[in-house]
């Protein structure tokens, strides 16, 4: 799954630490989401989508890949 978190965060001129505080996670979690190493829980995906005032589908793009 791809995502637009880094692009959207930078458009708001936020660093990872500022964004992490806004969505109540660690900076490391934000970094892992942005690099695709971690897919957020549904609850966290909703927090991110609410922060950016976008739908989850607009932020997280299903590219057909499946992790095992």
């Amino acid at each position: 799954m791809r995502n637009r978190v880094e692009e959207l965060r930078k458009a708001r001129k936020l660093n990872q630490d500022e964004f992490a505080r806004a969505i109540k996670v660690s900076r490391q979690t934000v970094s892992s989401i942005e690099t695709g190493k971690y897919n957020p829980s549904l609850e966290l995906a909703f927090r991110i989508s609410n922060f950016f005032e976008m739908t989850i589908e607009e932020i997280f793009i299903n590219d057909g890949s499946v992790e095992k």
Side-chain angles (χ1 to χ4, degrees):
M1 179 176 351
R2 295 182 305 112
N3 71 70
R4 299 177 55 209
V5 174
E6 182 176 15
E7 166 197 342
L8 296 168
R9 173 183 60 79
K10 287 180 175 180
R12 295 227 178 161
K13 300 189 183 335
L14 296 171
N15 63 38
Q16 286 182 338
D17 196 50
E18 293 165 331
F19 179 57
R21 282 195 304 267
I23 61 169
K24 298 177 174 59
V25 297
S26 70
R27 186 205 54 79
Q28 291 85 353
T29 298
V30 170
S31 176
S32 293
I33 292 169
E34 288 182 354
T35 59
K37 294 179 182 172
Y38 171 73
N39 288 325
S41 66
L42 188 56
E43 177 185 348
L44 180 52
F46 272 109
R47 266 190 268 153
I48 293 168
S49 70
N50 288 336
F51 179 84
F52 290 120
E53 299 176 329
M54 299 173 76
T55 66
I56 289 174
E57 293 84 359
E58 290 174 305
I59 300 169
F60 298 94
I61 298 97
N62 182 359
D63 60 7
S65 65
V66 176
E67 288 187 30
K68 294 183 181 180

